[in-house]
Structures are given as C-alpha cells and as structure tokens.
C-alpha cells in the first residue's frame, strides 16, 4: 500500500503522541462537500484531525468515454488536500487500487456472471474503506475514524447501533450494515444530525463557494460513464461470444425473442430490452444455467419474500425470539417495506405482507426497527408464497 504525504505532516508521524482532549481522528476525505465539512466540524470541535484520501481506482484502466470525475480524480484529491492545508492539519493519500480492484471490481464482475446484481458501494465500505482506514488509524495512533456519511451511531446495551440520519432523503445507513461492532466502536459520523442544506450553508459561511456548488456523482466510481455493460465487455475477454444467443422467455416458459446475454440484464429492468410484446414487460428472473432472461408484467414482478445470507446484525447479536417486525429495504433508494424477518441459523427468511417488486439477488437487504438499523445481508433468492408450498429452504 503506497502512502503519499503532503507538506503539512510535520509532527504527526506514527508513534508521536500529540493527542487533544477529544482525541485524534482519521477522517476519510473524498474532496466532496460532505467529507470536507465533516473534517472541518471535527477540527473545530477540538479533535486532532488527520485527513486521508483513498485512491481506489485508475480512470485510465476503465476504458470509458467520460471525463475523469468523482472521488478519485486529481481535482478531488487536491480539493481534499487544500482543506487540510488551509486548516493546518495533516493529509495523506493512500493508494489502494490493487486491493480495491482485486476485491470490489472482481466481485462486481463475477456477480454479473453469476446472474446477480452486485452492490459494490456496500462491499467497498465493509471490506475496503473501513479496514483501510482502521489500519492507517492504528499506525497514526488515531483513536477514531470518521466519514461524511449521513447516519448516526450510539452505544446501547453494549451494542453499537447505526440509525438513519436526520436528513432522510440523504440517509446512507443502508450502505453501512456490514460494518463490525469493533469497527463501529471507533467510528464517528459528524453529519448525522444535519440536513444537506445545513452542510451547504456551512460551506458558504466558511467561504468554500466552489465546494458548495460542486455537483454530486451517483455513479459507480469505476464505471464513470454508467455503462456497466461496456465495462463487463472490456473486463471479461470473449464475454459476448460466451453468452450470445440467449432467449427471452415468459414466466410460462414461452420463448418470445433473443437477448444479448444474461449478464447484461437486471431484475426489474424495463428499458433497453430491445423487445416489443405490445404491453410493458420487466425482467423478473435471470437464469444463468440456461442463459434465459424471464420477462413478465408488473404484477408478475412482485415477490412475497426472499432469503438473505452473510448476515451482519448490529442492534442485536441475534433476532429476539427468532422473528421480528421490521421495515426492510431491498435497494439503496428503496423507502422500505413492512416485513417479518425470521432468523434460521445463518439465513434470514423475509416475508412481505403486500409483496415487493424488483427483488434482485446480489443486492443488499437491510432491516430497520424504527430508525435503528438492525443489520443486513445479501439477497440470494426471492419467492412467491404459492411457489413455496411443500418446499423446503434448501438451495437458497
């Protein structure tokens, strides 16, 4: 892991204790407004702040057509550094491109090849960013790490509990379900009690006009042109030849056309199918083994429940009495749906009272009790209640 230091690191080398009363905190700084204001707030609150920007990918390797933007661009790195220089606290740049690529990008590619729809941002938070920050925090004698996520954290009943941020439209707790209790014990979310409008007002108040007007990116950082199909084609040699000639089928099994290959479709997709049946249809299932993409009406897209694996529970070490009423989100921008969750060993079986559309295997499912996040896991399979009669939980 290569480390680059800026010119204001004097006196903050690993092993040199200069702790403030509040403690030393390592702040993840992307160069955007949220993480910059988080660093400024902690600095003004009396923490000894050290900024750190992570270089997670190299634009030149993506092969996309869009101009370099976002958290890994040179402009963003310089923006983060300038905040640190102006306030007089150290700033580091760490190069984790190899680690990020080996784990996040390889997982992203393999999930599509398995017929699932990955969520790289959640994976990156859980396995890359937090681990990288904590390792560097230990080397720099930092007690805490901090990020610009819109979320809250508290200690209750000997458990660290993440809850939704005050600004529900910006709430990012969904992406934090995979963080361990040990990591949460050292984590600070300075923006949890603020709205986005508050953040912009603070930036303007401090004369950071360019930062306040900076646009936000909602794209996957290593797919800057938002063309994941093109990314897969460039990433996997011979992919089109391997998956060409697949069939579109209805839920009855009737073949109604051909498609470009199952990895290029996601559950819930309507646009870009290249097929006209005289009525709206959606992708309801991806069948990797037969290279089939199942289509159905909006009603046929609905599922009564799902199975979730690789659980990480935060509020409780395990679900009380095995079952619990929750609000469950099946994707980042989902408002959530009432559900009963039932823990069966290392699997969570989720029952939706009114059915839910577009449940995509590979996405994260996150469970809430009020504003508190109970935990989450990865969706492996959805089901319709009628189809589950006389069947077991095998092969989920």
């Amino acid at each position: 892991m290569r480390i680059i230091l800026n010119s204001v690191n004097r006196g903050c080398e690993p092993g040199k204790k200069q702790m403030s009363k509040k403690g030393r905190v390592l702040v993840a700084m992307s160069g955007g407004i949220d993480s910059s204001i988080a660093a400024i707030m902690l600095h003004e609150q009396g923490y000894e702040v050290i900024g750190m920007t992570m270089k997670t990918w190299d634009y030149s390797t993506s092969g996309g057509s869009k101009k370099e933007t976002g958290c890994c661009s040179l402009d963003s790195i310089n923006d983060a550094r300038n905040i640190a220089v102006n306030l007089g606290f150290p700033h580091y740049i760490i190069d984790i491109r190899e680690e990020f690529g080996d784990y996040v990008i390889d997982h992203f590619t393999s999930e599509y090849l398995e017929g699932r729809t990955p969520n790289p941002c959640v994976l990156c938070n859980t396995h890359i960013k937090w681990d990288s920050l904590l390792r560097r925090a230990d080397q720099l004698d930092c007690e805490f790490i901090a990020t610009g996520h819109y979320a809250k954290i508290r200690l209750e009943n000997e458990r660290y509990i993440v809850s939704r941020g005050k600004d529900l439209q910006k709430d990012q707790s969904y992406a934090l379900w995979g963080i361990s209790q040990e990591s949460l014990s050292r984590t600070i979310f300075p923006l949890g009690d603020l709205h986005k409008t508050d953040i912009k007002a603070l930036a303007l108040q401090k004369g950071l006009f360019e930062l306040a007007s900076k646009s936000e990116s909602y794209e996957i950082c290593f797919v800057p042109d938002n063309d994941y199909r093109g990314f897969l084609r460039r990433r996997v040699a011979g992919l089109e030849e391997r998956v060409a000639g697949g069939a579109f089928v209805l839920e009855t099994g009737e073949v109604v056309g051909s498609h470009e290959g199952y990895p290029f479709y996601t559950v819930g997709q309507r646009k870009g199918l290249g097929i006209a049946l005289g009525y709206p249809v959606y992708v309801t299932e991806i069948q990797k083994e037969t290279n089939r993409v199942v289509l159905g009406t909006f009603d046929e897209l609905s599922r009564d429940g799902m199975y979730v694996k690789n659980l990480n529970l935060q509020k409780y070490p395990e679900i009380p009495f095995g079952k619990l009423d929750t609000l469950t989100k099946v994707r980042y921008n989902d408002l959530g749906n009432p559900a009963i969750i039932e823990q069966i060993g290392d699997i969570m079986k989720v029952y939706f009272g009114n059915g839910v559309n577009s449940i995509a295997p590979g996405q994260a499912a996150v469970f809430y009790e009020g504003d508190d996040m109970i935990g989450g896991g990865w969706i492996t399979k959805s089901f319709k209640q009628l189809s589950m009669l006389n069947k077991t939980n095998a092969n989920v």
Side-chain angles (χ1 to χ4, degrees), residues 64-337:
S65 58
K66 188 175 179 179
K67 182 181 178 182
E68 181 177 14
T69 58
C71 61
C72 293
S73 69
L74 182 60
D75 286 344
S76 293
I77 292 173
N78 284 334
D79 287 344
R81 180 185 179 278
N82 287 337
I83 293 290
V85 169
N86 290 337
L87 292 177
F89 62 78
H91 175 255
Y92 292 75
I93 302 166
I94 61 172
D95 186 344
I96 59 172
R97 286 174 292 181
E98 184 176 346
E99 182 179 356
F100 180 89
D102 289 346
Y103 199 94
V104 177
I105 297 179
D106 288 351
H107 178 271
F108 178 85
T109 303
S110 64
E111 283 291 275
Y112 272 114
L113 295 181
E114 289 297 319
R116 296 187 285 264
T117 305
N119 192 316
C121 295
V122 172
L123 197 70
C124 180
N125 276 337
T126 304
H127 294 285
I128 302 297
K129 289 186 177 178
W130 252 257
D131 286 351
S132 295
L133 281 170
L134 286 169
R135 283 198 300 272
R136 300 312 305 160
D138 289 339
Q139 294 177 17
L140 294 167
D141 295 319
C142 292
E143 300 168 80
F144 309 107
I145 62 173
T147 71
H149 285 87
Y150 288 82
K152 301 179 185 180
I153 186 170
R154 72 181 190 278
L155 177 62
E156 184 177 292
N157 297 325
E158 300 183 346
R159 302 287 294 181
Y160 286 91
I161 301 169
V162 174
S163 58
R164 294 193 288 186
K166 184 176 181 180
D167 189 339
L168 296 181
Q169 292 187 337
K170 297 296 296 182
D171 169 56
Q172 293 170 300
S173 59
Y174 171 89
L176 305 173
W177 65 264
I179 302 174
S180 70
Q181 285 290 295
E182 181 180 0
S183 297
L184 290 175
S185 71
R186 299 176 64 185
T187 299
I188 302 173
F189 296 129
L191 309 187
D193 285 315
L194 299 174
H195 285 83
K196 185 70 175 189
T197 52
D198 300 325
I199 302 302
K200 289 188 175 182
L202 282 170
L204 292 172
Q205 178 184 332
K206 297 181 181 305
L208 303 172
F209 302 111
E210 290 187 9
L211 195 64
S213 61
K214 197 173 185 179
S215 60
E216 294 182 280
S217 174
Y218 297 97
E219 300 161 340
I220 298 170
C221 67
F222 55 88
V223 191
D225 56 6
N226 215 24
D227 178 17
Y228 86 90
R229 290 184 176 187
F231 180 84
L232 290 177
R233 289 186 176 103
R234 295 187 295 271
R235 184 82 178 175
V236 183
L239 176 61
E240 289 181 284
E241 291 76 11
R242 288 166 49 184
V243 299
F248 279 127
V249 300
L250 301 180
E251 295 218 333
T252 60
E254 178 187 354
V255 177
V256 292
S258 60
H259 61 70
E260 298 179 28
Y262 72 88
F264 303 133
Y265 302 89
T266 60
V267 172
Q269 180 179 342
R270 177 185 173 186
K271 296 181 179 179
L273 299 178
I275 187 170
L277 297 180
Y279 56 91
V281 289
Y282 303 79
V283 175
T284 62
E285 186 181 353
I286 306 292
Q287 297 179 348
K288 170 205 167 186
E289 292 77 10
T290 58
N291 195 11
R292 288 187 162 196
V293 175
V294 184
L295 304 178
T297 64
F298 184 77
D299 289 340
E300 290 173 322
L301 189 60
S302 179
R303 295 292 185 267
D304 299 309
M306 62 187 178
Y307 294 100
V308 180
K309 280 187 173 181
N310 303 114
L311 303 173
N312 184 56
L313 300 182
Q314 293 179 347
K315 187 171 184 177
Y316 306 108
E318 59 182 25
I319 299 302
F321 310 108
K323 288 186 179 182
L324 192 66
D325 288 322
T326 69
L327 189 75
T328 295
K329 298 179 68 169
V330 299
R331 67 190 66 85
Y332 182 82
N333 58 358
D334 183 13
L335 295 177
N337 300 272

